[in-house]
Amino acid sequence: MNGLPPFVGYNLAVGIVVAVELLYFLSLEASVTAYRRFVLVTVAGLVLAVIGGPLAELVAPSLVHWVHGTAAALVIFGLYDPVTNDVRTTEWARALLSEPSRVRRPAEWMTPMDDEILGAFHGTGLVLTPSVVAFNTGYSRKEVNRRLLELESNGLLEKVERGKYRLTRRGEEYLRGQLRTAPTADGEVGAPR
């Protein structure tokens, strides 16, 4: 990189490192990209920005703005759904939180089934019954009903009326990995994690 201007060489080196990190992320999340093309579109835009920009500076400096504009358009298209005129927040949350143990800190009383049950409520704003949750998670209604009661007693779900539940604000925070304290079995806030 002796023949390169220092700033261009620095941009190229940083771009290569970031591109490798993005591609590594994709390799870890292969199942996500297989059925969520918008993830690929967003990552393609990011890779074009971090690699294409510095390369365009070296090869054809007059094209730098076109490369950056195309990269920005790809990122925006990956983050935004023009058909429903909506930002893909729910889809990205599901894509990034497909493996909850990476972000969430479940309390000692929680089971792996609890994450799946809470995931059925995530991003929907719906009030659900044990039968609907059981159908969508693949667990028996009896198992789901027991866990719904436990999740309610710990403040992650609330009972709207008999046999109908919805996610609480605390439950949303848990699903996003933002719950700083883990609830205990008796509903008290546990030690910070």
Side-chain angles (χ1 to χ4, degrees), residues 10 17 31 37 67 100 124 127 142 186:
Y10 171 78
V17 169
S31 63
R37 303 224 187 280
V67 170
T124 64
V127 174
K142 186 177 178 180
D186 59 2

Side-chain angles (χ1 to χ4, degrees), residues 36 86-100 103-104 113-129 132-133 136-137 148 151 156-158 165-179:
R36 293 198 172 102
D86 189 27
V87 177
R88 291 185 170 114
T89 53
T90 303
E91 291 89 346
W92 272 102
R94 286 186 181 143
L96 296 175
L97 297 178
S98 63
E99 181 56 51
V103 178
R104 302 178 193 153
M113 183 191 338
D114 295 339
D115 272 351
E116 291 185 50
I117 289 172
L118 291 170
F121 288 91
H122 182 62
T124 64
L126 298 175
V127 174
L128 302 176
T129 63
V132 171
V133 174
N136 287 298
T137 59
L148 287 172
L151 291 165
L156 299 177
L157 294 176
E158 69 177 333
Y165 297 87
R166 94 170 121 222
L167 195 61
T168 63
R169 185 170 162 218
R170 184 178 173 88
E172 281 286 346
E173 289 173 358
Y174 168 74
L175 287 171
R176 286 189 299 239
Q178 297 172 341
L179 191 59

Side-chain angles (χ1 to χ4, degrees), residues 100-108 110 115 174 177-183 193:
S101 63
R102 292 185 189 169
V103 178
R104 302 178 193 153
R105 298 274 182 172
E108 292 177 12
M110 293 180 80
D115 272 351
Y174 168 74
Q178 297 172 341
L179 191 59
R180 299 189 82 90
T181 56
R193 296 219 172 207

